[in-house]
Amino acid sequence: MATAKRFLDNTNPDPNQPNYKRMRSSTIPSFASVIKEAVKANFLENVSSALEPMLRRVVVEEVEKGLRRYSCRSLTRSPSLRIKALEPSNLRLIFNKKLSKPIFTSSKVVAADGQSLQILLVDTSGEGMVPTTLPYPIKVELVVLDGDFPSGETETNWSREEFDKRVVKERTGKRPLLTGELNFTMREGVVPVGEIEFTDNSSWIRSRKFRIGAKVVQIGNNQTTVRIIEAVTESFVVKDHRGELYKKHYPPALGDEVWRLEKIGKDGTFRKKLSSKGINTVQDFLKLATIDTQQIRTILGTGMSDKMWEVTYKHAKTCEMGSKLFMARGSNYVLILTPICEVVRAVIDGQIYPTYDLTGIQKAYIQNLVKEAYANWSSLEEVDGLVNEPALLTQGEPMVDQYPNVHQQQQPMIRSYQRNTILTDASEQLIEYNDWTGNPNYI
C-alpha cells in the first residue's frame, strides 16, 4: 500500500522540489552531443550519395543477367532502372509453300507440289520478304493452332502471348494432335520440315479448321535476344483417314480411276456412264476428250453442265504426262502422239506439217489419221521423248492458239525412236528406213 502511494505521488512531481530539477536537467542534450550527431548524419549522407550510383549500376547489371537467363529482353543501360519497351520485329518465320489439301489423319502433311515443307527466316524491314540468317542457330517447334487465328488474314504482327493462347491441344484421352518431327534446329535461315501427321480431325473445335504454326523455342547463346514472329499456314480442314479412300488427286495421274476427277463421284452416275463406254481412267477420259469432245459430253449427259465440264476437264488437264510418246505409222505417214492423243509431229509423204500453216483440208486429213490411231491405240509403238513440247495439233484447233510462240521455236526434237523411223530436229533431214531393203531414204 505504501508502494502504491509512492507511485501515485511520483506521477505528478512538484516542480519546486530539488529532485525534479535534477531529473529535468538530465534529459536536456549537451551541445557536444548535438554536434556529434550532426557530423554523423552528414557523413552518412555523403557516403550514401557516393555509393548510390555504384549500387544502382550493380543492381541493373545483376537484374539484366537474370532476365537474359530466361530469354527476356534486356534492360537499358541508363542510370535509372527501367525496362525498354518492345519494338515491332522485322524478323519472322514463314512456310515456303502452301499445303496440299485435303489433309487426312494418319497421312503425311506435305506442300501443294507434293514435296516437303520448309521454314524460312525472312526480314520484312524493306519491301517484301527477304531471306536472311542469324549468326547463331535457333530452335523451332511446330504446333497446331485454331483455324480462326489470326483474326484477320492481313494481320501479321501478334504477340507471343496471343500466339500461345491459340495453340490447340489434343482432346482428353487422345494421342498428341500432331505427331512426327516437331522440333528442328534452324541454321543459315532455313530448315526442312520432316514427316508430320495429324491424329485427329478438326470437326470438334468451333472453327472446324486448324493451322500449323512454327515458333522459336530457344535462341542460342547470343546475349541480345530478338523477337521473331511465328510462321502460320493457311487454315485447313483435317478429315478422318477413311475419307481418303474417296479423295481427289491433285494433280491426277494418267492411270488414276476417272472418279478421281472433280465432279465425278466414285459410285456416281457419271462414273457409271463413262465405265459403260470403256472410259475407266483419266487417260481414257482425256484421249476421248481430245478426239471427240462432243461424244464424251453426250456420254455424260445433260446432268453435267457446261460449268461442271469445265471444272472436270481443267482438273484432268493438270495431270503429269510422263515421258512416253506413241507412234502411229501408215504407208505414207508417221504421227507422234502424246498419251492423250495430241499430235507432237505429223509427217505425210515426207513433209512435216506444222499446224500454223495447215489448210482446212490438211487439218481434217490429219484429224482423221489421229482418230484412226485412237481406234487402234493398243497397236501403237511406245517411244521415248519430251512430252512437254508443244503439241502440233488438237481437235479442230491449231496449237498455236495455246502456244503463241510455237512458230518462233524450232520444231521439237524426238530422240531415240525405235526401228524403221528416226525423227531428228527439223533443221536436219528426216530419215525413213525402207521397210523392204533396210536402206535409208532421205526426205
Side-chain angles (χ1 to χ4, degrees):
M1 193 71 181
T3 304
K5 183 177 180 181
R6 284 196 301 271
F7 176 77
L8 291 174
D9 291 342
N10 289 336
T11 55
N12 295 303
D14 187 354
N16 296 320
Q17 295 180 3
N19 290 336
Y20 173 79
K21 293 180 179 180
R22 284 197 300 269
M23 292 173 55
R24 183 180 179 188
S25 61
S26 63
T27 59
I28 298 175
S30 65
F31 178 76
S33 63
V34 171
I35 296 298
K36 183 178 180 180
E37 291 296 329
V39 171
K40 184 188 296 185
N42 187 49
F43 173 78
L44 291 176
E45 183 178 355
N46 291 338
V47 171
S48 177
S49 300
L51 290 177
E52 181 180 3
M54 182 180 66
L55 293 175
R56 190 183 298 275
R57 186 162 54 251
V58 170
V59 171
V60 171
E61 290 177 354
E62 291 302 317
V63 173
E64 284 181 346
K65 289 179 181 179
L67 290 177
R68 288 196 198 104
R69 192 175 300 115
Y70 294 95
S71 301
C72 294
R73 184 172 292 272
S74 62
L75 298 174
T76 59
R77 295 184 175 274
S78 62
S80 61
L81 183 60
R82 57 190 177 92
I83 299 178
K84 186 177 181 179
L86 292 175
E87 297 178 355
S89 176
N90 294 324
L91 296 180
R92 70 182 308 117
L93 299 175
I94 63 169
F95 290 96
N96 66 327
K97 297 176 182 177
K98 291 185 178 296
L99 300 176
S100 175
K101 293 184 283 291
I103 295 176
F104 293 89
T105 58
S106 303
S107 296
K108 182 180 177 182
V109 178
V110 296
D113 59 1
Q115 302 299 313
S116 296
L117 290 167
Q118 287 186 332
I119 302 173
L120 308 178
L121 178 66
V122 296
D123 186 348
T124 60
S125 57
E127 295 183 2
M129 297 183 179
V130 179
T132 187
T133 61
L134 292 175
Y136 44 83
I138 57 176
K139 293 186 180 296
V140 179
E141 179 184 10
L142 296 182
V143 296
V144 181
L145 299 170
D146 192 317
D148 283 344
F149 177 81
S151 56
E153 291 296 329
T154 58
E155 183 181 347
T156 58
N157 288 314
W158 49 79
S159 68
R160 179 63 179 267
E161 292 72 20
E162 290 173 330
F163 180 89
D164 289 340
K165 286 179 181 178
R166 304 307 295 273
V167 172
V168 179
K169 298 295 184 180
E170 66 276 8
R171 288 190 276 183
T172 304
K174 296 281 189 176
R175 296 168 55 202
L177 189 53
L178 189 65
T179 61
E181 301 177 43
L182 306 181
N183 293 276
F184 313 93
T185 298
M186 175 182 284
R187 295 181 175 88
E188 305 299 329
V190 61
V191 63
V193 176
E195 293 192 6
I196 58 174
E197 60 183 41
F198 284 90
T199 63
D200 198 359
N201 63 63
S202 59
S203 63
W204 52 277
I205 64 173
R206 186 181 61 82
S207 67
R208 297 184 176 274
K209 291 183 178 182
F210 291 145
R211 293 180 190 259
I212 297 177
K215 66 176 183 177
V216 174
V217 177
Q218 173 187 345
I219 298 183
N221 296 325
N222 191 45
Q223 293 188 356
T224 304
T225 63
V226 293
R227 164 85 170 118
I228 299 178
I229 299 176
E230 297 77 13
V232 175
T233 67
E234 70 275 20
S235 61
F236 52 85
V237 173
V238 177
K239 301 179 180 180
D240 283 324
H241 179 70
R242 60 179 178 269
E244 190 171 14
L245 299 175
Y246 295 88
K247 80 171 184 177
K248 308 303 181 182
H249 286 173
Y250 300 91
L254 288 173
D256 280 347
E257 294 183 85
V258 71
W259 60 264
R260 295 289 186 180
L261 298 178
E262 292 187 21
K263 305 303 180 182
I264 300 179
K266 184 175 182 180
D267 301 315
T269 303
F270 294 146
R271 192 246 178 134
K272 293 177 181 177
K273 289 181 177 180
L274 292 171
S275 182
S276 67
K277 299 298 181 180
I279 303 171
N280 298 306
T281 66
V282 174
Q283 184 178 13
D284 296 337
F285 177 90
L286 285 172
K287 283 194 299 183
L288 184 55
T290 301
I291 296 301
D292 193 340
T293 302
Q294 187 56 46
Q295 182 180 349
I296 196 170
R297 292 292 304 273
T298 300
I299 294 172
L300 291 168
T302 56
M304 177 165 280
S305 64
D306 291 343
K307 187 174 182 179
M308 292 173 65
W309 165 257
E310 183 180 348
V311 171
T312 303
Y313 183 70
K314 184 178 179 180
H315 182 205
K317 288 287 286 183
T318 62
C319 72
E320 298 290 339
M321 295 296 176
S323 60
K324 290 182 179 180
L325 298 175
F326 296 83
M327 178 163 42
R329 295 186 300 157
S331 58
N332 67 329
Y333 71 87
V334 174
L335 296 179
I336 303 298
L337 306 173
T338 70
I340 61 173
C341 270
E342 292 176 333
V343 179
V344 174
R345 177 165 291 187
V347 181
I348 303 174
D349 292 328
Q351 182 177 352
I352 299 174
Y353 285 88
T355 58
Y356 56 83
D357 197 29
L358 288 178
T359 64
I361 295 177
Q362 292 170 333
K363 191 182 301 182
Y365 178 68
I366 292 177
Q367 286 178 353
N368 287 332
L369 294 179
V370 174
K371 288 183 178 180
E372 183 179 341
Y374 170 76
N376 299 282
W377 190 262
S378 60
S379 64
L380 302 186
E381 299 179 46
E382 286 189 12
V383 295
D384 293 327
L386 303 177
V387 178
N388 60 348
E389 293 176 341
L392 296 181
L393 185 69
T394 56
Q395 179 193 0
E397 295 183 0
M399 286 299 292
V400 70
D401 293 338
Q402 298 183 33
Y403 300 91
N405 296 323
V406 70
H407 63 281
Q408 299 175 359
Q409 302 174 357
Q410 291 183 332
Q411 294 294 333
M413 180 172 65
I414 309 297
R415 300 183 180 89
S416 66
Y417 288 109
Q418 299 178 357
R419 61 182 179 84
N420 300 329
T421 302
I422 300 178
L423 299 180
T424 62
D425 189 284
S427 61
E428 300 174 2
Q429 290 177 305
L430 173 72
I431 306 174
E432 181 174 353
Y433 285 87
N434 188 293
D435 287 341
W436 291 274
T437 66
N439 297 322
N441 297 324
Y442 292 91
I443 300 173

